[in-house]
Coordinates of all heavy atoms in Angstrom, one line a residue:
M19 N 9.4 -41.1 -9.6 CA 10.1 -42.1 -10.4 C 9.5 -43.4 -10.5 O 9.5 -44.1 -11.6 CB 11.6 -42.1 -9.8 CG 12.6 -42.8 -10.8 SD 12.9 -41.8 -12.2 CE 14.6 -42.0 -12.3
E20 N 8.9 -43.8 -9.4 CA 8.3 -45.2 -9.4 C 7.2 -45.2 -10.5 O 7.0 -46.2 -11.1 CB 7.8 -45.5 -7.9 CG 7.1 -46.8 -7.9 CD 7.8 -48.1 -8.2 OE1 9.0 -48.0 -8.0 OE2 7.2 -49.0 -8.7
S21 N 6.4 -44.2 -10.5 CA 5.2 -44.1 -11.4 C 5.7 -44.1 -12.9 O 5.0 -44.8 -13.7 CB 4.2 -42.9 -11.1 OG 4.9 -41.8 -11.2
T22 N 6.8 -43.5 -13.1 CA 7.3 -43.4 -14.5 C 7.8 -44.8 -14.9 O 7.6 -45.2 -15.9 CB 8.5 -42.3 -14.6 OG1 8.0 -41.1 -14.2 CG2 9.1 -42.4 -15.9
F23 N 8.5 -45.5 -14.0 CA 9.0 -46.8 -14.3 C 7.8 -47.8 -14.5 O 7.9 -48.6 -15.3 CB 10.0 -47.3 -13.2 CG 11.3 -46.8 -13.3 CD1 11.8 -45.9 -14.3 CD2 12.3 -47.2 -12.4 CE1 13.0 -45.5 -14.4 CE2 13.6 -46.8 -12.4 CZ 14.0 -46.0 -13.5
H24 N 6.8 -47.7 -13.7 CA 5.6 -48.5 -13.8 C 4.9 -48.2 -15.2 O 4.6 -49.2 -15.8 CB 4.7 -48.2 -12.6 CG 3.4 -49.1 -12.8 ND1 3.3 -50.4 -12.5 CD2 2.2 -48.7 -13.0 CE1 2.2 -50.8 -12.7 NE2 1.3 -49.9 -13.1
E25 N 4.7 -47.1 -15.5 CA 4.1 -46.7 -16.8 C 4.9 -47.3 -17.9 O 4.3 -47.9 -18.9 CB 4.0 -45.2 -16.9 CG 3.3 -44.7 -18.2 CD 3.0 -43.2 -18.3 OE1 3.1 -42.6 -17.1 OE2 3.0 -42.8 -19.4
L26 N 6.3 -47.1 -17.9 CA 7.0 -47.6 -19.0 C 7.1 -49.0 -19.1 O 7.1 -49.7 -20.1 CB 8.5 -47.0 -18.8 CG 8.6 -45.5 -19.1 CD1 10.0 -45.0 -18.8 CD2 8.4 -45.2 -20.6
T27 N 7.0 -49.7 -17.9 CA 7.0 -51.1 -17.8 C 5.7 -51.7 -18.4 O 5.7 -52.7 -19.2 CB 7.0 -51.6 -16.3 OG1 8.3 -51.2 -15.8 CG2 7.0 -53.2 -16.2
Q28 N 4.6 -51.0 -18.1 CA 3.3 -51.4 -18.8 C 3.3 -51.2 -20.2 O 2.9 -52.1 -21.0 CB 2.1 -50.5 -18.1 CG 1.9 -50.8 -16.7 CD 1.3 -52.2 -16.3 OE1 1.2 -53.1 -17.2 NE2 0.8 -52.3 -15.2
L29 N 3.9 -50.2 -20.8 CA 4.1 -49.9 -22.2 C 4.8 -51.0 -22.8 O 4.5 -51.6 -23.9 CB 4.7 -48.6 -22.5 CG 4.9 -48.3 -23.8 CD1 3.6 -48.2 -24.7 CD2 5.6 -46.9 -24.0
L30 N 6.0 -51.4 -22.3 CA 6.8 -52.5 -22.8 C 6.0 -53.8 -22.7 O 6.1 -54.5 -23.8 CB 8.0 -52.7 -22.0 CG 9.1 -53.7 -22.4 CD1 9.4 -53.6 -23.9 CD2 10.3 -53.7 -21.6
M31 N 5.2 -54.1 -21.7 CA 4.5 -55.4 -21.7 C 3.5 -55.3 -22.9 O 3.2 -56.4 -23.4 CB 3.9 -55.5 -20.4 CG 4.8 -55.9 -19.2 SD 4.1 -55.9 -17.7 CE 3.0 -57.3 -17.8
E32 N 2.9 -54.2 -23.1 CA 1.9 -54.1 -24.2 C 2.6 -54.3 -25.6 O 2.1 -55.0 -26.5 CB 1.3 -52.8 -24.3 CG 0.3 -52.5 -23.2 CD -0.1 -51.0 -23.3 OE1 0.0 -50.3 -24.2 OE2 -0.7 -50.5 -22.2
K33 N 3.8 -53.9 -25.7 CA 4.7 -54.2 -26.9 C 5.2 -55.6 -27.1 O 5.3 -56.2 -28.2 CB 5.8 -53.2 -27.1 CG 5.4 -51.7 -27.2 CD 4.8 -51.4 -28.6 CE 4.4 -50.0 -28.7 NZ 3.8 -49.7 -29.9
N34 N 5.5 -56.2 -25.9 CA 6.1 -57.5 -25.9 C 5.4 -58.4 -24.9 O 5.8 -58.4 -23.7 CB 7.6 -57.4 -25.6 CG 8.3 -58.7 -25.9 OD1 7.8 -59.7 -25.8 ND2 9.6 -58.7 -26.4
Q35 N 4.4 -59.1 -25.3 CA 3.6 -59.8 -24.4 C 4.3 -61.1 -23.9 O 3.6 -61.7 -23.0 CB 2.2 -60.2 -25.1 CG 1.5 -58.8 -25.4 CD 0.2 -59.2 -26.2 OE1 -0.1 -60.3 -26.5 NE2 -0.5 -58.1 -26.5
K36 N 5.5 -61.3 -24.3 CA 6.2 -62.6 -23.8 C 6.9 -62.2 -22.3 O 7.4 -63.1 -21.7 CB 7.3 -63.0 -24.8 CG 6.7 -63.6 -26.0 CD 7.8 -64.0 -27.0 CE 7.1 -64.6 -28.2 NZ 8.1 -65.1 -29.1
L37 N 6.9 -60.9 -22.0 CA 7.6 -60.5 -20.9 C 6.7 -60.4 -19.6 O 5.6 -59.9 -19.7 CB 8.2 -59.1 -21.0 CG 9.3 -58.9 -22.1 CD1 9.8 -57.5 -22.3 CD2 10.5 -59.8 -21.8
S38 N 7.2 -61.0 -18.6 CA 6.5 -60.7 -17.2 C 6.7 -59.3 -16.8 O 7.6 -58.6 -17.3 CB 7.1 -61.6 -16.2 OG 8.4 -61.4 -15.9
Y39 N 6.0 -58.9 -15.8 CA 6.2 -57.5 -15.2 C 7.6 -57.3 -14.8 O 8.2 -56.3 -15.0 CB 5.1 -57.2 -14.1 CG 5.3 -55.9 -13.6 CD1 4.6 -54.8 -14.2 CD2 6.2 -55.6 -12.5 CE1 4.8 -53.5 -13.7 CE2 6.3 -54.3 -12.0 CZ 5.7 -53.3 -12.6 OH 5.8 -52.0 -12.2
E40 N 8.1 -58.3 -14.1 CA 9.5 -58.3 -13.5 C 10.5 -58.1 -14.6 O 11.4 -57.3 -14.5 CB 9.8 -59.5 -12.6 CG 8.9 -59.5 -11.4 CD 7.6 -60.0 -11.5 OE1 7.2 -60.7 -12.6 OE2 6.7 -59.8 -10.6
K41 N 10.4 -58.8 -15.6 CA 11.3 -58.8 -16.7 C 11.2 -57.4 -17.5 O 12.2 -56.8 -17.8 CB 11.1 -60.0 -17.8 CG 11.4 -61.3 -17.3 CD 12.7 -61.8 -17.7 CE 13.0 -63.2 -17.3 NZ 14.3 -63.7 -17.7
A42 N 10.1 -57.0 -17.8 CA 9.8 -55.8 -18.4 C 10.4 -54.5 -17.6 O 11.0 -53.7 -18.0 CB 8.3 -55.5 -18.7
R43 N 10.1 -54.7 -16.2 CA 10.6 -53.7 -15.3 C 12.2 -53.6 -15.3 O 12.8 -52.6 -15.4 CB 10.1 -53.9 -13.9 CG 10.7 -53.0 -12.9 CD 10.3 -51.5 -13.0 NE 10.8 -50.8 -12.0 CZ 10.1 -50.1 -11.1 NH1 8.8 -50.2 -11.1 NH2 10.7 -49.4 -10.2
T44 N 12.8 -54.8 -15.4 CA 14.2 -54.9 -15.5 C 14.7 -54.2 -16.7 O 15.7 -53.5 -16.7 CB 14.7 -56.4 -15.3 OG1 14.2 -56.9 -14.1 CG2 16.2 -56.5 -15.4
W45 N 14.1 -54.6 -17.8 CA 14.5 -54.0 -19.1 C 14.4 -52.4 -19.0 O 15.3 -51.7 -19.5 CB 13.6 -54.4 -20.3 CG 14.1 -55.6 -20.9 CD1 13.4 -56.9 -20.8 CD2 15.3 -55.9 -21.5 NE1 14.3 -57.8 -21.5 CE2 15.4 -57.2 -21.9 CE3 16.4 -55.1 -21.9 CZ2 16.4 -57.8 -22.6 CZ3 17.5 -55.6 -22.6 CH2 17.5 -57.0 -23.0
I46 N 13.4 -51.9 -18.5 CA 13.2 -50.4 -18.4 C 14.3 -49.8 -17.5 O 14.9 -48.8 -17.9 CB 11.8 -50.1 -17.8 CG1 10.7 -50.5 -18.8 CG2 11.6 -48.6 -17.5 CD1 10.8 -49.9 -20.1
E47 N 14.6 -50.4 -16.5 CA 15.7 -49.9 -15.5 C 17.0 -49.9 -16.2 O 17.8 -49.0 -16.1 CB 15.6 -50.7 -14.2 CG 14.4 -50.3 -13.4 CD 14.4 -51.2 -12.1 OE1 15.2 -51.9 -11.8 OE2 13.3 -51.1 -11.4
L48 N 17.2 -51.1 -16.9 CA 18.6 -51.2 -17.6 C 18.7 -50.1 -18.8 O 19.7 -49.5 -18.9 CB 18.8 -52.6 -18.1 CG 19.1 -53.6 -17.2 CD1 19.0 -55.0 -17.8 CD2 20.5 -53.4 -16.6
V49 N 17.7 -50.0 -19.5 CA 17.7 -49.2 -20.6 C 17.8 -47.6 -20.1 O 18.6 -46.9 -20.7 CB 16.5 -49.3 -21.6 CG1 16.4 -48.1 -22.5 CG2 16.4 -50.6 -22.3
W50 N 17.1 -47.3 -19.0 CA 17.2 -46.0 -18.5 C 18.6 -45.7 -17.9 O 19.2 -44.7 -18.3 CB 16.3 -46.0 -17.3 CG 16.0 -44.6 -16.6 CD1 17.0 -44.1 -15.8 CD2 15.0 -43.7 -16.8 NE1 16.5 -42.8 -15.3 CE2 15.2 -42.6 -15.8 CE3 13.7 -43.8 -17.4 CZ2 14.3 -41.6 -15.8 CZ3 12.8 -42.8 -17.3 CH2 13.1 -41.7 -16.5
E51 N 19.2 -46.6 -17.2 CA 20.5 -46.5 -16.7 C 21.6 -46.4 -17.7 O 22.6 -45.7 -17.7 CB 20.9 -47.6 -15.7 CG 20.0 -47.5 -14.4 CD 20.2 -48.7 -13.5 OE1 21.2 -49.5 -13.8 OE2 19.4 -48.9 -12.6
D52 N 21.5 -47.3 -18.8 CA 22.4 -47.3 -19.9 C 22.4 -46.0 -20.7 O 23.5 -45.5 -21.0 CB 22.2 -48.4 -20.9 CG 22.7 -49.8 -20.4 OD1 23.4 -49.8 -19.4 OD2 22.4 -50.8 -21.0
F53 N 21.1 -45.5 -20.9 CA 21.1 -44.1 -21.6 C 21.7 -43.1 -20.8 O 22.6 -42.3 -21.4 CB 19.6 -43.8 -21.9 CG 19.4 -42.4 -22.4 CD1 19.9 -42.1 -23.7 CD2 19.1 -41.4 -21.6 CE1 19.8 -40.8 -24.2 CE2 19.0 -40.0 -22.1 CZ 19.3 -39.8 -23.4
E54 N 21.5 -42.9 -19.5 CA 22.1 -41.9 -18.8 C 23.5 -42.1 -18.6 O 24.3 -41.0 -18.8 CB 21.4 -41.9 -17.4 CG 20.0 -41.4 -17.4 CD 19.4 -41.1 -16.0 OE1 19.9 -41.7 -15.0 OE2 18.4 -40.2 -16.0
A55 N 24.1 -43.3 -18.5 CA 25.5 -43.4 -18.3 C 26.2 -43.1 -19.7 O 27.2 -42.5 -19.6 CB 25.8 -45.0 -18.0
T56 N 25.6 -43.6 -20.8 CA 26.2 -43.3 -22.1 C 26.2 -41.8 -22.4 O 27.1 -41.3 -23.0 CB 25.4 -44.1 -23.2 OG1 25.5 -45.5 -22.9 CG2 26.1 -43.8 -24.5
Y57 N 25.1 -41.2 -22.1 CA 24.9 -39.8 -22.3 C 26.1 -39.0 -21.5 O 26.7 -38.0 -22.0 CB 23.5 -39.3 -21.9 CG 23.0 -38.1 -22.5 CD1 22.6 -38.0 -23.8 CD2 22.9 -36.9 -21.8 CE1 22.2 -36.9 -24.4 CE2 22.4 -35.7 -22.4 CZ 22.1 -35.7 -23.7 OH 21.5 -34.6 -24.2
A58 N 26.3 -39.4 -20.3 CA 27.3 -38.8 -19.4 C 28.6 -39.0 -19.9 O 29.4 -38.2 -20.0 CB 27.1 -39.2 -18.0
K59 N 29.0 -40.2 -20.3 CA 30.3 -40.6 -20.8 C 30.6 -39.8 -22.1 O 31.7 -39.6 -22.4 CB 30.3 -42.1 -21.1 CG 30.5 -43.0 -19.9 CD 30.5 -44.4 -20.2 CE 30.5 -45.2 -18.9 NZ 30.5 -46.6 -19.3
A60 N 29.5 -39.5 -22.9 CA 29.8 -38.7 -24.1 C 30.0 -37.1 -23.8 O 30.4 -36.5 -24.7 CB 28.5 -38.9 -25.0
G61 N 29.9 -36.9 -22.5 CA 30.2 -35.4 -22.1 C 29.1 -34.5 -22.2 O 29.3 -33.3 -21.9
Y62 N 27.9 -35.1 -22.3 CA 26.7 -34.1 -22.4 C 26.3 -33.8 -20.9 O 26.4 -34.6 -20.1 CB 25.6 -34.8 -23.1 CG 25.8 -35.0 -24.6 CD1 25.9 -36.4 -25.1 CD2 25.9 -34.0 -25.5 CE1 26.3 -36.6 -26.4 CE2 26.2 -34.2 -26.8 CZ 26.3 -35.6 -27.3 OH 26.6 -35.8 -28.6
D63 N 25.8 -32.6 -20.8 CA 25.2 -32.2 -19.5 C 23.9 -33.0 -19.2 O 23.1 -33.3 -20.2 CB 24.8 -30.8 -19.5 CG 26.0 -29.8 -19.6 OD1 27.1 -30.3 -19.0 OD2 25.9 -28.7 -20.1
Y64 N 23.6 -33.3 -18.0 CA 22.5 -34.1 -17.6 C 21.2 -33.2 -18.0 O 21.1 -32.0 -17.5 CB 22.5 -34.5 -16.2 CG 21.3 -35.2 -15.7 CD1 21.0 -36.5 -16.2 CD2 20.4 -34.6 -14.8 CE1 20.0 -37.3 -15.8 CE2 19.4 -35.5 -14.3 CZ 19.1 -36.7 -14.8 OH 18.0 -37.4 -14.3
K65 N 20.3 -33.7 -18.6 CA 19.0 -33.0 -19.1 C 17.9 -33.4 -18.2 O 16.8 -32.9 -18.4 CB 18.7 -33.3 -20.6 CG 19.8 -32.8 -21.5 CD 20.0 -31.4 -21.5 CE 21.0 -30.9 -22.5 NZ 21.3 -29.6 -22.6
G66 N 18.0 -34.3 -17.3 CA 16.9 -34.6 -16.4 C 16.2 -35.8 -16.8 O 16.3 -36.3 -17.9
K67 N 15.3 -36.2 -15.9 CA 14.5 -37.6 -16.2 C 13.4 -37.3 -17.3 O 13.1 -38.2 -18.0 CB 13.8 -37.9 -14.9 CG 12.5 -37.2 -14.5 CD 11.9 -37.9 -13.4 CE 10.5 -37.6 -13.3 NZ 9.5 -38.5 -12.7
V68 N 13.0 -36.1 -17.6 CA 12.1 -35.9 -18.7 C 12.7 -36.2 -20.1 O 12.1 -37.0 -20.8 CB 11.7 -34.4 -18.7 CG1 10.8 -34.1 -20.0 CG2 10.9 -34.0 -17.5
V69 N 13.9 -36.0 -20.2 CA 14.6 -36.3 -21.5 C 14.8 -37.8 -21.5 O 14.6 -38.5 -22.6 CB 16.0 -35.6 -21.7 CG1 16.7 -36.1 -22.9 CG2 15.7 -34.1 -21.9
T70 N 15.3 -38.3 -20.4 CA 15.5 -39.8 -20.3 C 14.3 -40.6 -20.6 O 14.2 -41.5 -21.4 CB 16.2 -40.2 -19.0 OG1 17.4 -39.4 -18.8 CG2 16.5 -41.7 -18.9
E71 N 13.2 -40.2 -20.0 CA 11.9 -40.8 -20.2 C 11.5 -40.8 -21.6 O 10.9 -41.8 -22.2 CB 10.7 -40.2 -19.3 CG 9.4 -40.8 -19.4 CD 8.4 -40.1 -18.6 OE1 8.6 -39.3 -17.7 OE2 7.2 -40.5 -18.9
K72 N 11.6 -39.6 -22.3 CA 11.2 -39.4 -23.7 C 12.0 -40.5 -24.5 O 11.4 -41.1 -25.3 CB 11.5 -38.0 -24.1 CG 11.1 -37.8 -25.5 CD 11.4 -36.3 -25.9 CE 11.0 -36.0 -27.3 NZ 11.2 -34.6 -27.6
V73 N 13.4 -40.6 -24.3 CA 14.3 -41.5 -25.1 C 13.8 -43.0 -24.8 O 13.6 -43.8 -25.8 CB 15.6 -41.2 -24.8 CG1 16.5 -42.4 -25.5 CG2 16.1 -39.8 -25.3
V74 N 13.5 -43.4 -23.5 CA 13.3 -44.7 -23.2 C 11.9 -45.0 -23.8 O 11.7 -46.1 -24.4 CB 13.3 -44.9 -21.6 CG1 12.6 -46.3 -21.3 CG2 14.7 -44.8 -21.2
R75 N 10.9 -44.2 -23.7 CA 9.6 -44.3 -24.3 C 9.7 -44.5 -25.8 O 9.0 -45.5 -26.3 CB 8.7 -43.2 -24.0 CG 7.2 -43.4 -24.4 CD 6.3 -42.2 -24.0 NE 6.3 -42.0 -22.6 CZ 5.6 -42.7 -21.8 NH1 4.7 -43.6 -22.2 NH2 5.6 -42.4 -20.5
Q76 N 10.5 -43.8 -26.5 CA 10.7 -44.0 -27.9 C 11.4 -45.2 -28.2 O 10.9 -45.9 -29.2 CB 11.6 -42.8 -28.5 CG 11.8 -42.9 -29.9 CD 12.6 -41.7 -30.4 OE1 12.9 -40.8 -29.7 NE2 13.0 -41.7 -31.7
W77 N 12.3 -45.7 -27.4 CA 12.9 -47.0 -27.7 C 12.0 -48.1 -27.5 O 12.0 -49.1 -28.2 CB 14.2 -47.2 -26.8 CG 15.5 -46.3 -27.2 CD1 15.4 -45.6 -28.4 CD2 16.5 -46.0 -26.5 NE1 16.7 -44.9 -28.4 CE2 17.3 -45.2 -27.2 CE3 17.1 -46.5 -25.2 CZ2 18.6 -44.9 -26.8 CZ3 18.2 -46.1 -24.8 CH2 19.0 -45.3 -25.6
V78 N 11.1 -48.0 -26.4 CA 10.1 -49.1 -26.1 C 9.2 -49.2 -27.3 O 8.9 -50.2 -27.9 CB 9.4 -48.9 -24.8 CG1 8.2 -49.7 -24.7 CG2 10.3 -49.0 -23.7
N79 N 8.7 -47.9 -27.8 CA 7.7 -47.9 -29.0 C 8.4 -48.5 -30.2 O 7.7 -49.2 -31.0 CB 7.2 -46.6 -29.1 CG 6.1 -46.2 -28.2 OD1 5.3 -47.0 -27.8 ND2 6.2 -44.9 -27.7
T80 N 9.7 -48.3 -30.4 CA 10.3 -48.8 -31.6 C 10.8 -50.1 -31.5 O 10.7 -50.9 -32.5 CB 11.6 -47.8 -31.9 OG1 11.0 -46.5 -32.0 CG2 12.2 -48.2 -33.2
Y81 N 11.4 -50.5 -30.4 CA 12.1 -51.8 -30.3 C 11.5 -52.8 -29.3 O 12.1 -53.9 -29.2 CB 13.5 -51.6 -29.9 CG 14.3 -50.6 -30.8 CD1 14.7 -49.4 -30.4 CD2 14.6 -51.0 -32.1 CE1 15.4 -48.4 -31.3 CE2 15.3 -50.2 -33.1 CZ 15.7 -48.9 -32.6 OH 16.3 -48.1 -33.5
G82 N 10.5 -52.4 -28.6 CA 9.9 -53.3 -27.6 C 9.5 -54.7 -28.0 O 9.8 -55.7 -27.3
E83 N 9.0 -54.8 -29.2 CA 8.7 -56.2 -29.8 C 9.9 -57.0 -30.0 O 9.8 -58.3 -30.0 CB 7.9 -56.0 -31.0 CG 6.5 -55.5 -30.8 CD 5.8 -55.3 -32.1 OE1 5.6 -56.3 -32.8 OE2 5.3 -54.2 -32.4
Q84 N 11.1 -56.5 -30.2 CA 12.2 -57.2 -30.6 C 13.3 -57.1 -29.4 O 14.4 -57.4 -29.7 CB 12.9 -56.6 -31.8 CG 12.1 -56.8 -33.1 CD 11.2 -55.5 -33.4 OE1 11.6 -54.5 -32.8 NE2 10.2 -55.6 -34.2
I85 N 13.0 -56.8 -28.2 CA 13.9 -56.7 -27.2 C 14.7 -58.0 -26.9 O 15.9 -58.0 -26.7 CB 13.3 -56.2 -25.9 CG1 14.3 -55.6 -24.9 CG2 12.5 -57.4 -25.1 CD1 14.0 -54.2 -24.5
H86 N 14.1 -59.1 -27.3 CA 14.9 -60.4 -27.2 C 15.9 -60.5 -28.1 O 16.9 -61.2 -27.9 CB 13.9 -61.5 -27.3 CG 13.1 -61.5 -28.5 ND1 11.9 -60.7 -28.7 CD2 13.2 -62.2 -29.7 CE1 11.6 -60.9 -30.0 NE2 12.2 -61.8 -30.6
E87 N 15.7 -60.0 -29.3 CA 16.9 -60.0 -30.4 C 18.0 -59.2 -29.9 O 19.2 -59.5 -30.1 CB 16.4 -59.4 -31.6 CG 15.3 -60.5 -32.3 CD 14.7 -59.7 -33.6 OE1 15.2 -58.8 -34.0 OE2 13.6 -60.3 -34.0
F88 N 17.8 -58.1 -29.3 CA 18.9 -57.3 -28.7 C 19.6 -57.9 -27.7 O 20.8 -58.0 -27.6 CB 18.3 -55.9 -28.1 CG 19.3 -55.1 -27.4 CD1 20.2 -54.4 -27.9 CD2 19.3 -55.2 -26.0 CE1 21.2 -53.6 -27.2 CE2 20.2 -54.4 -25.3 CZ 21.2 -53.7 -25.9
A89 N 18.9 -58.7 -26.8 CA 19.5 -59.4 -25.6 C 20.4 -60.6 -26.2 O 21.5 -60.9 -25.7 CB 18.5 -59.9 -24.8
A90 N 19.8 -61.2 -27.3 CA 20.6 -62.3 -27.8 C 21.9 -61.9 -28.5 O 22.9 -62.7 -28.4 CB 19.8 -63.0 -29.0
Q91 N 22.1 -60.7 -28.8 CA 23.3 -60.2 -29.4 C 24.2 -59.6 -28.3 O 25.3 -59.2 -28.6 CB 23.0 -59.1 -30.5 CG 22.3 -59.8 -31.6 CD 21.9 -58.7 -32.6 OE1 22.3 -57.5 -32.5 NE2 21.2 -59.1 -33.6
N92 N 23.8 -59.5 -27.1 CA 24.5 -58.8 -26.0 C 24.7 -59.7 -24.8 O 23.6 -59.9 -24.1 CB 23.9 -57.4 -25.6 CG 24.0 -56.5 -26.8 OD1 25.0 -55.8 -27.0 ND2 23.0 -56.4 -27.5
P93 N 25.7 -60.3 -24.7 CA 25.8 -61.4 -23.5 C 25.5 -60.7 -22.1 O 25.1 -61.5 -21.3 CB 27.3 -61.8 -23.4 CG 27.8 -61.5 -24.9 CD 26.9 -60.3 -25.4
K94 N 25.7 -59.5 -22.0 CA 25.4 -58.7 -20.7 C 23.9 -59.0 -20.4 O 23.6 -59.0 -19.2 CB 25.8 -57.3 -20.9 CG 25.4 -56.4 -19.7 CD 25.8 -55.0 -20.1 CE 25.4 -54.0 -19.0 NZ 25.7 -52.6 -19.3
Y95 N 23.0 -59.1 -21.3 CA 21.7 -59.3 -21.1 C 21.1 -60.7 -21.4 O 19.9 -60.8 -21.3 CB 20.9 -58.2 -22.0 CG 21.4 -56.9 -21.8 CD1 22.1 -56.2 -22.7 CD2 21.1 -56.2 -20.6 CE1 22.5 -54.9 -22.7 CE2 21.5 -54.8 -20.4 CZ 22.3 -54.3 -21.3 OH 22.7 -53.0 -21.2
K96 N 21.9 -61.6 -21.5 CA 21.5 -63.0 -21.9 C 20.5 -63.5 -20.8 O 19.6 -64.2 -21.1 CB 22.7 -63.9 -22.0 CG 22.2 -65.3 -22.4 CD 23.5 -66.1 -22.7 CE 23.3 -67.7 -23.0 NZ 22.0 -68.1 -23.2
H97 N 20.8 -63.3 -19.5 CA 20.0 -63.8 -18.4 C 18.5 -63.3 -18.6 O 17.5 -63.9 -18.0 CB 20.5 -63.4 -17.0 CG 20.4 -61.9 -16.8 ND1 21.3 -61.0 -17.3 CD2 19.6 -61.2 -16.1 CE1 21.0 -59.9 -16.9 NE2 20.0 -59.9 -16.1
L98 N 18.2 -62.2 -19.3 CA 16.9 -61.8 -19.4 C 16.0 -62.5 -20.4 O 14.8 -62.2 -20.5 CB 17.0 -60.2 -19.9 CG 17.5 -59.3 -18.8 CD1 17.7 -57.9 -19.3 CD2 16.6 -59.3 -17.5
I99 N 16.7 -63.4 -21.3 CA 15.9 -64.1 -22.2 C 16.0 -65.6 -21.9 O 15.5 -66.4 -22.8 CB 16.2 -63.9 -23.7 CG1 17.8 -64.0 -23.9 CG2 15.9 -62.3 -24.0 CD1 18.2 -64.1 -25.3
D100 N 16.6 -66.0 -20.8 CA 16.8 -67.4 -20.5 C 15.3 -68.1 -20.3 O 14.6 -67.7 -19.5 CB 17.5 -67.5 -19.2 CG 18.0 -68.9 -18.9 OD1 17.4 -69.8 -19.6 OD2 18.7 -69.1 -17.9
D101 N 15.1 -69.0 -21.2 CA 13.7 -69.7 -21.3 C 13.5 -70.5 -19.9 O 12.3 -70.9 -19.6 CB 13.6 -70.5 -22.4 CG 13.4 -69.9 -23.7 OD1 13.0 -68.7 -23.6 OD2 13.8 -70.4 -24.7
K102 N 14.6 -70.8 -19.1 CA 14.4 -71.5 -17.9 C 13.8 -70.7 -16.8 O 13.5 -71.2 -15.7 CB 15.7 -72.2 -17.5 CG 16.2 -73.2 -18.5 CD 17.5 -73.6 -18.1 CE 18.2 -74.4 -19.2 NZ 19.6 -74.9 -18.9
D103 N 13.9 -69.4 -17.0 CA 13.3 -68.5 -16.0 C 11.8 -68.6 -15.8 O 11.1 -68.4 -16.8 CB 13.7 -67.1 -16.3 CG 13.6 -66.1 -15.2 OD1 12.8 -66.4 -14.2 OD2 14.2 -65.0 -15.2
D104 N 11.4 -68.8 -14.6 CA 9.9 -68.9 -14.4 C 9.2 -67.6 -14.4 O 7.9 -67.7 -14.3 CB 9.7 -69.6 -13.0 CG 10.2 -71.1 -13.0 OD1 10.1 -71.6 -14.0 OD2 10.4 -71.6 -11.9
N105 N 9.9 -66.5 -14.4 CA 9.2 -65.2 -14.4 C 8.6 -64.8 -15.8 O 8.0 -63.9 -16.0 CB 10.2 -64.1 -13.9 CG 10.4 -64.2 -12.4 OD1 9.5 -64.7 -11.7 ND2 11.5 -63.7 -12.0
Q106 N 9.1 -65.6 -16.8 CA 8.7 -65.2 -18.2 C 7.3 -65.6 -18.4 O 6.9 -66.8 -18.1 CB 9.7 -65.7 -19.2 CG 9.5 -65.3 -20.6 CD 10.5 -65.5 -21.5 OE1 11.2 -66.5 -21.3 NE2 10.6 -65.0 -22.7
V107 N 6.5 -64.8 -19.0 CA 5.1 -65.2 -19.3 C 5.2 -66.0 -20.8 O 5.9 -65.7 -21.7 CB 4.2 -63.9 -19.7 CG1 2.9 -64.4 -20.1 CG2 4.2 -63.1 -18.4
H108 N 4.4 -67.1 -20.8 CA 4.4 -68.0 -22.0 C 3.2 -67.9 -22.7 O 2.1 -67.8 -22.3 CB 4.8 -69.5 -21.6 CG 6.2 -69.6 -21.0 ND1 7.3 -69.5 -21.7 CD2 6.5 -69.6 -19.7 CE1 8.4 -69.7 -21.0 NE2 7.9 -69.8 -19.7

């Protein structure tokens, strides 16, 4: 699992160069967990990490550059775009 998260984090950093490794990793973990939780709440059977990885990879490829726009519209993620945070790459 660690290697999957690392690979997806690297992909997100390629798509959005404003993110530090720590921020990108946090995004990957949040998106992963949110997908699995939403999928479960919808009543679907768990399809495993292969399906989750495929979805997260697709989302990173599609939305990685605009992840800050998503955060701006969702207070739950506001701390991830706080400019005062020293972990963000400038």
Side-chain angles (χ1 to χ4, degrees):
M19 191 71 139
E20 176 63 32
S21 63
T22 301
F23 279 2
H24 178 72
E25 183 181 334
L26 291 169
T27 299
Q28 295 288 13
L29 178 61
L30 179 55
M31 289 176 65
E32 289 173 16
K33 296 288 182 180
N34 191 328
Q35 297 175 358
K36 294 181 181 181
L37 297 176
S38 66
Y39 182 89
E40 292 78 17
K41 293 257 184 182
R43 174 67 181 245
T44 299
W45 274 113
I46 294 301
E47 291 176 6
L48 284 172
V49 170
W50 187 285
E51 290 172 12
D52 280 353
F53 172 75
E54 286 190 336
T56 301
Y57 204 74
K59 286 179 187 176
Y62 296 110
D63 292 332
Y64 181 64
K65 300 292 184 186
K67 78 172 205 154
V68 172
V69 171
T70 303
E71 179 182 352
K72 182 178 178 180
V73 170
V74 171
R75 185 177 298 279
Q76 182 178 353
W77 288 349
V78 167
N79 282 320
T80 304
Y81 304 111
E83 292 179 53
Q84 297 93 13
I85 200 124
H86 56 283
E87 292 173 13
F88 171 78
Q91 296 174 9
N92 293 278
K94 177 179 174 181
Y95 303 111
K96 184 175 177 5
H97 69 281
L98 292 173
I99 58 168
D100 187 356
D101 288 336
K102 297 176 186 172
D103 191 342
D104 293 334
N105 288 332
Q106 188 171 18
V107 176
H108 298 281

